[in-house]
Amino acid sequence: QVQLVESGGGLVQAGGSLRLSCAASGRTFSSYAMGWFRQAPGKEREFVAAISRSGGSTYYADSVKGRFTISRDNAKNTVYMQMNSLKPEDTAVYYCAGDESATGSYAYWGQGTQVTVSS
């Protein structure tokens, strides 16, 4: 089992950048594929990005491709998401999630961090 804690959210102007971090507890972080999801007010939670156990493969939603970069440091038990060229429509609560089976089934979730992009 892994526990996840996100940080790095905040208020930023359109065009700005933020870097989210997700710190994981436990010794088996490298056995989890990791993902970032987001949920805007009144909308369903949506996939943003994912990274394989080793970090060698990454996946992005079309809406963030070219602007967001997911990465991980298994020595620090942390996954990151660098968000550049932020838009007001990126405003949401961002969650990191862990997938032990690496099948796209995320069983472990953090509490979320708010990202607000002003126009």
Side-chain angles (χ1 to χ4, degrees):
Q1 188 171 352
V2 64
Q3 293 183 329
L4 305 171
V5 179
E6 302 96 335
S7 61
L11 173 64
V12 64
Q13 289 188 332
S17 298
L18 283 174
R19 188 175 83 153
L20 303 183
S21 299
C22 174
S25 64
R27 301 180 181 179
T28 59
F29 176 70
S30 60
S31 68
Y32 292 80
M34 298 297 296
W36 285 98
F37 293 75
R38 66 186 181 187
Q39 187 167 21
K43 295 187 177 181
E44 293 187 354
R45 188 176 296 184
E46 64 174 359
F47 168 79
V48 177
I51 189 166
S52 62
R53 290 161 170 158
S54 67
S57 297
T58 56
Y59 311 89
Y60 297 93
D62 287 344
S63 59
V64 307
K65 203 171 292 183
R67 299 188 298 122
F68 292 10
T69 302
I70 189 172
S71 61
R72 67 189 296 162
D73 185 337
N74 285 343
K76 295 183 178 179
N77 283 10
T78 303
V79 61
Y80 306 96
M81 188 159 69
Q82 178 68 41
M83 305 188 296
N84 299 329
S85 302
L86 283 161
K87 304 175 181 179
E89 51 263 44
D90 294 318
T91 295
V93 177
Y94 284 72
Y95 301 88
C96 72
D99 172 13
E100 190 171 18
S101 63
T103 60
S105 177
Y106 293 88
Y108 303 100
W109 293 83
Q111 84 289 347
T113 185
Q114 176 71 47
V115 171
T116 302
V117 184
S118 63
S119 58

